[in-house]
Amino acid sequence: MTDMPRRRPTLDEVAERAGVSRSAASRVLNNAPHVSRDKREAVQRAIRELRYVPNTTARALATRQRGVAALVISGETPAIFADPFFAKVIVGASAALEEADLHLMLCLAAADRSRQRLAELLRARGVDGVMLMAVRENDPVLHTARETELPVVFGGRPAGHEPPWYVDADNVGGARRATEHLLARGRRRVVMICGPLDTQVSRERHRGYREAMILAGLEPLPPASGDFTEPSGATAMTELLERHPDVDAVFAANDNMAAGALRALRGAGRAVPHDVAVVGFDDLDIAQITEPSLTTVRQPIQALGHETARMLVRLIGGEEPSPLILPTRLVARSST
């Protein structure tokens, strides 16, 4: 009886033996840059031990890799750098890419010229894959993403478009819990400050507010909209006080706008939480230093960046991951 032919080891098995990611093993195999000496030696040792023979077709594809992933943020530059949300996303994404020996390229795509340069970069395959953040409905960046053959992962779903690969937070559930928290404290005139309604995140948080109000047998009140900044939250709160002088609670779609709401309420002589209770969303550092400290919905922002990058790494490596929704939870503080 003859022995069965030995199964050929795979690149995944080499990576596992070496204790590195598949993409890192691939770059070692193809003598690509951006791999540490320790990882290179571990992969080479695993190749010898497993007697791995590379697939020539896969190797030809791998040699085209640049060792770079782009994080594209579709928003105004000053607002992006002023918002700690994006800083946390970048930290999370950078850590995941570092694990895979990929460099992070940050692209801001608000102006026409920057969007054109992004399209040229993708057509030239100047990066191995793309992560998209803060994309609005009918954003020109969406067309660019649909046209490219590169792997694309969305950090947060865009309004009006269901991409195959995305990482998002449970915005509906988080907003519903925020509103239910206010209702459980006896508040009945609950208003909401939304973000821009051409973003999916704003629509989903508004939906969670509406669901909680309707389930409680109360009529949801029309929201005021801001742009996720502190000044816009103050303006929206002033508008809501004029419309509904008897308001006794407000849910703001992010902490920056909630901080603005606190400032406007203080200016109007309303005590928080005695007269008006306030809840935000995100659990940024500002939530702990407002006066009073802010009850908010915590979403894992750094994990959002990390998991978006990890999903992209898996796509670059030839896998087909499933979309991911990250959990949120309420953090109660003094504002309620």
Side-chain angles (χ1 to χ4, degrees):
M1 183 175 178
T2 59
D3 291 336
M4 293 290 290
R6 183 179 175 184
R7 183 179 65 81
R8 185 164 152 175
T10 67
L11 183 59
D12 287 321
E13 290 168 334
V14 170
E16 183 177 359
R17 173 70 67 93
V20 302
S21 68
R22 188 183 192 281
S23 59
S26 176
R27 278 195 291 284
V28 171
L29 183 67
N30 293 287
N31 201 30
H34 318 306
V35 183
S36 69
R37 179 178 177 180
D38 289 347
K39 288 184 179 180
R40 191 177 296 277
E41 290 176 352
V43 171
Q44 290 169 342
R45 185 166 54 251
I47 288 172
R48 291 193 300 271
E49 291 172 354
L50 294 173
R51 298 181 183 178
Y52 172 76
V53 178
N55 179 297
T56 54
T57 302
R59 184 167 184 167
L61 290 171
T63 56
R64 296 210 299 263
Q65 290 189 355
R66 302 285 185 173
V68 179
L71 173 59
V72 179
I73 301 177
S74 184
E76 298 299 326
T77 302
I80 288 167
F81 285 111
D83 193 337
F85 176 92
F86 290 108
K88 289 177 178 287
V89 167
I90 291 169
V91 168
S94 180
L97 294 177
E98 187 175 334
E99 291 169 6
D101 290 305
L102 287 168
H103 287 294
L104 174 67
M105 176 187 291
L106 179 61
C107 302
L108 305 180
D112 289 341
R113 176 58 185 151
S114 59
R115 287 193 290 264
Q116 181 183 341
R117 290 176 62 192
L118 173 64
E120 292 169 357
L121 176 72
L122 300 191
R123 278 196 295 269
R125 301 182 73 90
V127 294
D128 298 325
V130 182
M131 297 167 282
L132 288 179
M133 300 284 303
V135 178
R136 297 190 175 192
E137 188 173 27
N138 301 320
D139 195 316
V141 170
L142 280 173
H143 176 73
T144 302
R146 292 189 187 105
E147 290 292 309
T148 185
E149 296 179 359
L150 294 170
V152 177
V153 178
F154 285 81
R157 284 165 289 179
H161 175 59
E162 185 75 10
W165 296 293
Y166 62 83
V167 179
D168 208 347
D170 180 14
N171 292 301
V172 176
R176 188 167 53 239
R177 280 187 291 276
T179 310
E180 288 170 347
H181 175 77
L182 292 167
L183 296 172
R185 276 155 174 68
R187 311 296 171 141
R188 288 298 177 265
R189 296 287 290 173
V190 183
V191 294
M192 181 176 180
I193 300 174
C194 280
L197 290 175
D198 60 350
T199 62
Q200 187 69 8
V201 63
S202 294
R203 292 179 184 180
E204 290 188 344
R205 291 177 189 177
H206 183 231
R207 176 183 155 195
Y209 158 79
R210 286 182 53 83
E211 287 181 358
M213 294 290 283
I214 291 169
L215 286 171
L218 299 170
E219 180 182 356
L221 299 170
S225 291
D227 61 5
F228 292 129
T229 64
E230 194 273 354
S232 74
T235 300
M237 189 71 250
T238 300
E239 177 187 329
L240 289 168
L241 287 172
E242 291 172 356
R243 276 199 248 152
H244 310 289
D246 57 345
V247 61
D248 61 7
V250 57
F251 165 50
N254 83 336
D255 290 344
N256 294 327
M257 294 192 298
L262 289 172
R263 178 163 63 87
L265 288 165
R266 187 164 53 248
R270 304 292 182 96
V272 177
H274 183 269
D275 298 326
V276 182
V278 180
V279 177
F281 202 112
D282 283 339
D283 199 22
L284 299 173
D285 292 343
I286 193 175
Q288 299 183 52
I289 61 174
T290 55
E291 183 56 46
S293 59
L294 184 64
T295 294
T296 187
V297 177
R298 176 178 295 167
Q299 66 163 323
I301 303 171
Q302 194 164 314
L304 178 67
H306 193 273
E307 293 303 322
T308 300
R310 282 192 67 218
M311 186 173 290
L312 182 63
V313 169
R314 292 176 64 190
L315 280 170
I316 292 171
E319 299 180 47
E320 293 228 355
S322 300
L324 178 64
I325 301 292
L326 300 174
T328 56
R329 68 181 181 89
L330 188 85
V331 179
R333 296 193 179 98
S334 302
S335 67
T336 56

